[in-house]
Amino acid sequence: MRHHVSSAERDRLLGRRVVVRRRLHGEAHAATDVLGVLEAWEAGELRVRRSSGADGAVAEVPEADVIAIKAIPARPVTRREIRDLEAAAAQGWQALDTAQLGGWLLRAARGFTRRANSCMPLDDPGRPLGEAIEAVEDWYRARELHPTFQVPSLLGGVVDDALDARGWSRDDDVLVLTALVGDVRRGVRSDLPAVRVDPHPDDDWLANYHYRGAPLPAHAVHVLTNADGAGFASVDLDGVRVAIARGAVSTAPSGRRWVGVTAVEVAPEARRRGLGSHVVAGLTGWAAGLGAEAAYLQVEERNTGAQAAYRKLGFGDHHSYHYRQAPG
């Protein structure tokens, strides 16, 4: 292969829309482009689905013929679509204490999860930017929390500039991936135990959930269950909990019904069996019964392994966001 691609880059490309420049045989210097979704890259061959849907034609490209490959956007995502999805996501993972500052949503939950303890600037705050940031700082410090913003891509350029000037730190990007529920639910595996979804997490579910490697605080259950349409998915094998996930069905301002997928975990001894994808697919099947049309989840940009698994289920890029924290 003329174009070297690392294993990490392969993981990042799987499930994404790509353009592959491939060599043609029989004619000197002849090449052509293959455009579509990269479904697989194994045993010396790339499989690229040229058109959308499960019935689209698949091109099989020998790895040795690849001259270059790069990801391309599926389609432009508008600011309105980002606001719409993030508004639905705010309902799916609600804080215990909230306030509105114009178009900014302030959230606090005694420190459990950054999403539930950060300000989401979806629209104009209704006052001068510097004054609004100071109001956010005061609000969080009054609750003994570090002032934090969750800034979505395309929406936060002006906010980011103002926070840069104030010396706020910036974390790595988090990708928001979306998919149609009908596509994801086809990933349920008949050779694995069935996915069960309960309205509340039981003790085994909570024991398998590890937020950033730390024990759950007592009020974590209140955050996890503080949403209409919440469901807690489990897979048990021989009486042992081996996989979990949380789903929350909510309605965006546009009227679209979404299911947010979070807290996906597989027990260490049960990994590499497809249980993570299986529990997510089963969860979306449950959500379809509540009217969910599409699913979203968040994954850190550097977590290429998880991205590859989700992209194989049909998830694709929607937008990204990052967290900002006040100095000190």
Side-chain angles (χ1 to χ4, degrees), residues 129 133 151 155-168 170 322 324:
L129 186 56
I133 293 173
V151 185
L155 302 184
V158 174
V159 175
D160 271 330
D161 289 345
L163 297 179
D164 285 342
R166 291 168 178 261
W168 286 50
R170 172 173 174 156
H322 52 270
R324 306 293 305 259

Side-chain angles (χ1 to χ4, degrees), residues 100-105 123-126:
Q100 287 289 150
L101 183 66
W104 291 6
L105 173 63
D123 216 326
D124 191 278

Side-chain angles (χ1 to χ4, degrees), residues 189-275:
R189 295 264 299 272
S190 59
D191 60 325
L192 293 174
V195 178
R196 187 182 78 248
V197 182
D198 300 311
H200 297 281
D202 61 17
D203 290 342
D204 285 339
W205 195 100
L206 293 171
N208 279 271
Y209 178 45
H210 305 92
Y211 179 72
R212 299 189 176 277
L216 295 183
H219 64 281
V221 176
H222 297 300
V223 177
L224 291 166
T225 58
N226 187 29
D228 296 330
F232 298 85
S234 302
V235 178
D236 293 346
L237 183 61
D238 298 327
V240 177
R241 187 67 44 86
V242 290
I244 63 165
R246 175 189 182 271
V249 177
S250 58
T251 303
S254 65
R256 193 174 203 192
R257 293 277 280 174
W258 290 90
V259 57
V261 179
T262 55
V264 181
E265 291 211 34
V266 176
E269 67 276 9
R271 289 173 185 166
R272 299 189 179 278
R273 301 183 193 177
L275 282 160

